[in-house]
């Protein structure tokens, strides 16, 4: 007998050590059946041995398997699938079957809830050898020195090594993970000492091609000889790489769903804070605390650029950072300290993720690793093109932020940005003291400077109204013909519509509808308003008003982001008188957004002047609504305003 071939008892032990039930079909009958297979169908092995294989199934199931399983196994060598044993009408037993053909023409049945395992019928070792050779898993035997004394072809193929290279090898040399090796060693000691008769271990091994395989090994002791020495063991090795990958994928998906649920909760909570007239700090702290309280994340903070530099400094923090922010330096520049996810998120206005192992995170890797951080996401807090800061969240696992989670964080960042924008607007609306910032912009490329230069006139902003993503501007024209100025502006691709409201020869007013105004959007986005703006043929003069406790540096930076050559001429602080119109409960507070917008445009357009400077049809066209709808908005608004004034008289 070949030295690598186990004796008859060895083959039997190998066959019976494999999980699942095994039977050998010769012609149409079972020549060999293990007790495990018999127990699956609720009988004993003797009752099945010598009986037709159809005994396991009812008539319909056996006919189906004859056409599919048996036929394909004989022609293609193997078939795998599902079936139901016993009387289907009584429920039967659902099983998984692997059917394999041997070289001698017999069939090996492997019946299990897990996978397939096969065999054949001859006297002596041939019967068990057929089982081992037909099985789709790796099968091995270890001698008394815990070295391979037998491996089947599947085992050799699995490890990418020939039989002669594996025989005599200690399987522990094939382990890659040291922790798994320790677990396997402990399990083996318990089996050898008699504490356990069987064991299951998982291990990661590397093939000669460099591929990593995740393996699961089930083994048992061979029959112990009389002298009491360790007899060796036999076992089955299964490649579970794909199975584990699927399980990890499902786990990640569960984590993603939990994360998305948490983000949805944060969105609802943030909206509640907005309804309750929350401050910016309250909203930011709420979001960070809820994120840090989740089992998914360790630490969260919101940062902004410092007043007199490029460092990103925290506004609020939550969770356990163990002094991380005190130890690291983060900037929004393109230097080494600005190449991480935080700096890139602020420059790109997009959600940015990184693992601690990424090359872009090298500058902060040691400090992050000391605190257990493995991945991070940076989320711009923005409203339109205005960015108020960045929210940064750390997790203790790699690749913690999937694409779906990033999309959820993007929505969260936009929502927080909108809340901050609204909070800043409220600050300005109810501020008792304000700051005026006066700028001069040398920019000949704007539509206003071009028109003022072409017609040698001066244009002054006389008011503006945001409307459905557009801006309606009102300009006073001095020293030029309003009709000619309006016609020239209407030909500019940046202008949707231009019309004359009043024309007094050399002076007048123009209504301008533009799809975008990065300047107005930027200024209003940081909680400020444009109090005055005028253009001559060379430059633009701007006066911006902001609450005196606002972030003036942010406002200046945002204006410079639109006009890089802007020059700050003056910085003035003043008190102002607050009218009841803008206060909560004021007369305009009872109007709907659309009513308020319609009244403002009508007022700016001279609809309430006598004689009227604009018709209802012209105003409706500017608002992109019908004149009937406009009349409805204005009538309802007038009634609400008059009712509030007269009833309170």
């Amino acid at each position: 007998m070949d030295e690598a071939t186990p004796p008859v008892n060895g083959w039997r032990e190998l066959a019976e050590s494999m999980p699942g039930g095994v039977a050998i079909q010769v012609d149409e009958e079972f020549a060999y059946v293990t007790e495990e297979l018999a127990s699956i169908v609720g009988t004993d092995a003797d009752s099945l041995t010598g009986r037709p294989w159809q005994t396991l199934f009812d008539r319909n199931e056996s006919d189906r398997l004859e056409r599919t399983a048996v036929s394909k196994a004989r022609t293609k060598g193997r078939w795998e699938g599902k079936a139901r044993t016993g009387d289907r009408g009584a429920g039967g037993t659902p099983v998984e079957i692997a059917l394999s053909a041997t070289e001698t023409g017999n069939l090996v049945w492997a019946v299990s809830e897990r996978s397939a395992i096969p065999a054949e019928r001859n006297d002596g070792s041939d019967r068990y050898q057929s089982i081992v050779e037909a099985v789709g898993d790796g099968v091995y035997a270890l001698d008394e020195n815990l070295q391979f004394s037998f491996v089947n072809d599947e085992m050799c193929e699995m490890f990418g090594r020939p039989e002669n290279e594996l025989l005599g090898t200690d399987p522990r040399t094939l382990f890659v993970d040291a922790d798994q090796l320790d677990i396997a060693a402990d399990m083996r000691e318990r089996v050898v000492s008699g504490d356990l008769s069987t064991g299951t271990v998982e291990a990661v091994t590397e093939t000669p091609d460099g591929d990593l395989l995740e393996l699961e090994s089930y083994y048992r002791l061979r029959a112990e000889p009389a002298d009491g020495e360790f007899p060796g063991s036999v076992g089955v090795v299964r490649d579970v790489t794909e199975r584990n990958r699927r399980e990890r994928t499902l786990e990640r998906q569960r984590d993603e769903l939990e994360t998305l649920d948490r983000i949805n909760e944060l969105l609802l909570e943030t909206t509640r804070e907005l309804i309750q007239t929350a401050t910016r700090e309250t909203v930011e702290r709420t979001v960070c605390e809820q994120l840090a309280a989740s089992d998914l994340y360790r630490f969260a903070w919101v940062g902004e650029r410092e007043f007199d530099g490029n460092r990103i400094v925290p506004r609020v923090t939550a969770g356990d950072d163990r002094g991380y922010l005190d130890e690291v330096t983060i900037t929004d520049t393109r230097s080494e300290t600005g190449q991480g996810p935080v700096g890139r998120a602020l420059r790109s206005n997009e959600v940015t993720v990184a693992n601690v192992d990424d090359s872009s995170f090298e500058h902060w890797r040691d400090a992050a690793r000391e605190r257990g951080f493995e991945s991070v996401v940076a989320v711009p807090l923005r409203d339109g093109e205005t960015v108020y800061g960045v929210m940064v969240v750390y997790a203790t696992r790699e690749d913690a932020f999937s694409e779906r989670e990033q999309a959820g964080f993007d929505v969260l960042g936009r929502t927080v940005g909108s809340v901050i924008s609204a909070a800043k607007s409220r600050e300005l609306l109810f501020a008792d003291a304000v700051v005026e910032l006066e700028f001069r912009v040398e920019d000949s490329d704007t539509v206003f400077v071009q028109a003022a230069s072409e017609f040698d006139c001066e244009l002054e902003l006389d008011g503006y109204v945001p409307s459905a993503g557009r801006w309606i501007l009102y300009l006073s024209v001095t020293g030029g013909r309003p009709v000619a100025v309006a016609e020239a502006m209407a030909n500019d691709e940046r202008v949707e519509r231009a019309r004359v409201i009043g024309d007094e020869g050399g002076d007048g007013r123009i209504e301008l509808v533009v799809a975008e105004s990065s300047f107005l959007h930027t200024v209003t986005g940081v909680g400020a308003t444009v109090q005055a703006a005028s253009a001559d043929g060379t430059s633009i003069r701007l006066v911006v008003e902001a609450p005196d406790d606002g972030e003036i540096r942010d406002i200046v930076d945002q204006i410079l982001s639109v006009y890089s050559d802007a020059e700050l001429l003056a910085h003035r602080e003043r008190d102002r008188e607050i009218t009841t119109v803008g206060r909560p409960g004021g007369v305009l507070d009872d109007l709907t957004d659309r009513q308020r917008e319609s009244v403002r445009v009508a007022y700016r357009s001279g609809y309430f002047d006598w004689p009227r400077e604009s018709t209802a049809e012209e105003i409706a066209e500017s608002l992109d609504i019908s004149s009937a709808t406009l009349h409805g908005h204005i009538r309802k608004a007038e009634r609400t305003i008059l009712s509030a004034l007269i009833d309170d008289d």
Side-chain angles (χ1 to χ4, degrees), residues 210-231:
D211 297 326
L212 293 180
L213 297 182
E214 298 176 49
L215 306 176
E216 181 181 74
S217 175
Y218 171 83
Y219 61 93
R220 58 179 293 178
L221 289 180
R222 297 170 67 175
E224 188 171 356
D227 59 12
E229 295 181 0
F230 175 67

Side-chain angles (χ1 to χ4, degrees), residues 434-438 531 543-546 570-574:
V434 295
V435 172
E436 285 187 349
L437 304 173
E438 184 175 350
Q531 286 298 103
V543 178
V544 174
E545 183 179 271
H571 176 290
R572 296 181 289 268
E573 297 181 5
R574 65 177 177 84

Side-chain angles (χ1 to χ4, degrees), residues 449-466:
V449 172
Q450 289 177 348
S453 175
E454 180 179 353
F455 296 99
D456 192 23
C457 64
E458 182 177 344
L459 302 176
E460 184 173 355
L461 184 67
D462 194 29
Y464 58 90
V465 179

Side-chain angles (χ1 to χ4, degrees), residues 26-96:
V26 178
D27 295 329
E28 293 296 309
E29 297 179 353
F30 286 133
Y32 171 76
V33 179
T34 65
E35 288 294 345
E36 186 167 354
L37 186 147
S39 67
I40 290 175
V41 297
T43 184
D44 57 76
D46 291 340
S47 299
L48 292 176
T49 304
R51 300 289 301 279
W53 66 266
Q54 291 90 344
T55 305
L56 295 180
F57 312 98
D58 67 13
R59 178 68 178 274
N60 291 334
E61 191 76 328
S62 61
D63 287 346
R64 181 183 71 84
L65 292 174
E66 179 70 43
R67 295 191 306 270
T68 56
V70 175
S71 175
K72 289 186 178 179
R74 293 191 185 282
T75 57
K76 297 185 178 180
R78 188 172 177 84
W79 177 88
E80 293 184 11
K82 298 180 179 180
R84 188 178 291 272
T85 67
D87 184 359
R88 180 176 287 273
T93 302
V95 295
E96 292 184 359

Side-chain angles (χ1 to χ4, degrees), residues 121-136:
R121 169 73 176 182
N122 275 325
D123 291 333
S125 67
D126 290 346
R127 177 174 63 190
Y128 305 106
Q129 184 174 358
S130 297
I131 296 175
V132 174
E133 291 174 348
V135 73

Side-chain angles (χ1 to χ4, degrees), residues 329-393:
T329 298
I330 304 173
T331 68
D332 65 350
T333 66
R334 296 188 179 275
S335 65
E336 182 183 33
T337 56
Q339 293 304 310
V342 177
R344 287 184 284 131
L346 286 173
R347 290 194 297 273
S348 66
N349 273 12
E350 296 180 354
V351 175
T352 306
V353 300
N355 286 323
V356 171
D357 279 337
D358 293 349
S359 58
S360 62
F361 205 82
E362 182 179 3
H363 188 74
W364 307 273
R365 183 176 300 144
D366 292 342
R369 275 277 164 73
E370 289 176 5
R371 293 157 176 85
F373 302 155
E374 291 294 340
S375 57
V376 58
V377 62
V379 185
L381 305 180
R382 61 191 180 101
D383 182 40
E385 297 302 317
T386 303
V387 179
Y388 298 103
V390 60
M391 178 176 64
V392 192
V393 184

